[in-house]
Amino acid sequence: MSPVKKGPATTRAAEEIRRRLLAWYSAHKRDLPWRQTDDAYRKWVAEVMLVQTQVDIVIPYYKRFIERFPDVRALAAADLDEVLKAWEGLGYYARARNLHRAARIVAEEHGGRLPSDAESLRALPGIGQYVAAALLAMAFGQRALAVDGNVRRVSSRVYDIADPTRAVVRKAGNPLVSERPGDVNQALMDLGATICTPRSPDCPSCPLETRCLSRRRGTVTLRPKRRSRRKRPHYDIAVGVVWRDEEILIAKRPPEGLLGGLWEFPGGKRERGESLEATIVREVNEELGIEVEPGAKIAAIDHAYSHFEITLHAYHCRYRSGTPRPLGSQEHAWVRPGELDRYAFPAANRKLLEYLTTND
């Protein structure tokens, strides 16, 4: 018999797990800013920011974002550049672009109020199954289980599920959210973040210890089953800090795709057998249609994305000829060094900007 059929809570067991979980949550819940409001918009912003990002990183971004865009209409009225600047450094920028697009739809088609049904939520850009479930439960009090990494891990151990797919976890955990779904979801998340951690779970402190099948069977450290990670590929990226008199040339990336809508120093990926300087000359010409001459190297900056790693090689460059055109970018700008901070840059370029600022 599979663990899923044997382990998921019966009604009585679910009631007992929920009772213990909520009692623990009442005493130990984390004090998070988005839990201090009933505003669905603010919970929405938080849940989008929390996708693939740790709580401690999100908190200051959330506070600044809400101060700048306190409601849906304020976000909808903002320029995308403003939104990306507020998001700068948080990563996964498609989240910001989709949040902005969705805010405009909510403002125009839903009277500025986030819809409270699953179908309408899922129709909004950037709202997938997880965010929709989180909002249904935590903003609207509806029965839904939001399966993030913490909920998946807790469920895997409580029900001793080796391979806890989202569908399996929802089947196992749905009986828990028949009452107080918002608190149950948040309790599961907090339990996973503070007690039922990936590598060193504190089982004696867990309110579900006596109800936990993997604790009983000695499989806690085996749950969930760990998948081997593939080695991330590495790329050398060469960019030019192109000078014309006292100004530097920057370019805005296309609106969609990786880092869409952000500004950057022009350049790109080195091809096999190509020097870094030749990469800059080729890429700047392909991107903006101008000729540049690389000079002194500024820095080599390592940066990791979710699926690959790069070393960003930056060079001072002299502008030689041509009129910049948006061949591989949205637009360009010549700006003085002191004005660069007005623009939203991806993390590796931001590190370069800091290097330039501190090494004038």
Side-chain angles (χ1 to χ4, degrees):
M1 186 177 292
S2 72
V4 178
K5 293 179 181 178
K6 189 175 181 180
T10 62
T11 300
R12 183 178 299 176
E15 290 174 354
E16 178 63 14
I17 289 173
R18 183 172 56 246
R19 183 188 67 77
R20 295 183 181 207
L21 192 60
L22 291 175
W24 175 86
Y25 179 67
S26 178
H28 301 285
K29 62 183 175 183
R30 291 178 292 179
D31 183 18
L32 303 175
W34 46 87
R35 292 180 178 173
Q36 298 168 8
T37 178
D38 293 326
D39 188 330
Y41 162 74
R42 298 188 176 198
K43 292 183 181 294
W44 175 28
V45 170
E47 290 305 323
V48 172
M49 287 186 168
L50 286 164
V51 173
Q52 295 184 296
T53 307
Q54 295 177 349
V55 167
D56 290 345
I57 295 173
V58 166
I59 289 173
Y61 279 93
Y62 170 83
K63 289 180 177 179
R64 289 193 297 267
F65 197 92
I66 292 301
E67 184 177 355
R68 176 66 186 83
F69 311 110
D71 53 42
V72 169
R73 295 190 185 280
L75 180 58
D79 185 83
L80 178 58
D81 282 343
E82 294 178 71
V83 177
L84 291 173
K85 182 63 180 176
W87 204 275
E88 185 182 38
L90 195 56
Y92 299 98
Y93 291 93
R95 296 180 299 176
R97 297 193 302 271
N98 285 330
L99 183 63
H100 184 240
R101 288 170 55 206
R104 290 187 166 179
I105 293 172
V106 171
E108 293 168 5
E109 300 180 12
H110 297 280
R113 296 178 66 86
L114 193 66
S116 59
D117 65 282
E119 183 178 358
S120 298
L121 283 173
R122 291 291 300 275
L124 294 172
I127 295 189
Q129 192 170 46
Y130 166 76
V131 172
L135 292 173
L136 289 171
M138 291 182 263
F140 301 115
Q142 297 179 30
R143 179 174 175 170
L145 186 67
V147 184
D148 70 350
N150 287 317
V151 173
R152 178 175 176 269
R153 184 171 56 258
V154 170
S155 300
S156 176
R157 288 171 175 166
V158 169
Y159 303 122
D160 197 28
I161 305 169
D163 187 18
T165 64
R166 284 179 172 81
V168 169
V169 171
R170 281 194 296 273
K171 181 179 179 181
N174 273 338
L176 301 178
V177 294
S178 61
E179 297 178 18
R180 295 177 60 183
D183 286 342
V184 169
N185 274 274
Q186 292 175 128
L188 288 167
M189 293 172 185
D190 282 12
L191 189 66
T194 62
I195 299 294
C196 194
T197 54
R199 302 197 186 281
S200 300
D202 184 10
C203 294
S205 299
C206 180
L208 305 182
E209 182 185 17
T210 60
R211 308 295 310 191
C212 181
L213 289 182
S214 65
R215 176 69 163 164
R216 190 181 308 165
R217 297 170 180 171
T219 58
V220 170
T221 59
L222 303 178
R223 302 289 181 258
K225 181 180 178 181
R226 292 193 179 95
R227 293 181 174 87
S228 59
R229 292 188 178 183
R230 294 181 180 178
K231 184 177 180 180
R232 292 183 293 196
H234 176 272
Y235 304 108
D236 285 304
I237 308 296
V239 301
V241 179
V242 180
W243 293 88
R244 185 187 68 177
D245 298 325
E246 299 298 319
E247 295 179 319
I248 295 173
L249 180 63
I250 57 175
K252 183 188 277 189
R253 293 178 65 90
E256 301 299 329
L258 180 68
L259 308 176
L262 297 181
W263 291 84
E264 65 181 1
F265 298 100
K269 184 165 64 175
R270 178 167 66 172
E271 295 182 350
R272 184 183 297 274
E274 189 177 46
S275 71
L276 293 168
E277 292 88 344
T279 299
I280 293 172
V281 172
R282 175 182 56 78
E283 286 280 351
V284 173
N285 183 262
E286 291 175 357
E287 189 175 327
L288 294 163
I290 63 172
E291 299 294 329
V292 299
E293 180 182 337
K297 188 169 187 176
I298 302 168
I301 298 167
D302 293 322
H303 184 73
Y305 293 92
S306 58
H307 294 93
F308 63 94
E309 299 174 354
I310 68 167
T311 299
L312 184 76
H313 304 270
Y315 289 75
H316 287 295
C317 292
R318 182 174 67 89
Y319 166 68
R320 293 182 60 191
S321 64
T323 300
R325 293 168 290 151
L327 303 177
S329 59
Q330 282 193 73
E331 58 181 290
H332 74 279
W334 289 100
V335 299
R336 294 184 176 277
E339 299 170 336
L340 287 168
D341 198 50
R342 300 177 186 175
Y343 299 83
F345 287 88
N349 278 249
R350 173 58 58 182
K351 292 177 185 177
L352 173 57
L353 180 57
E354 293 174 358
Y355 194 94
L356 288 170
T357 303
T358 58
N359 290 272
D360 270 341

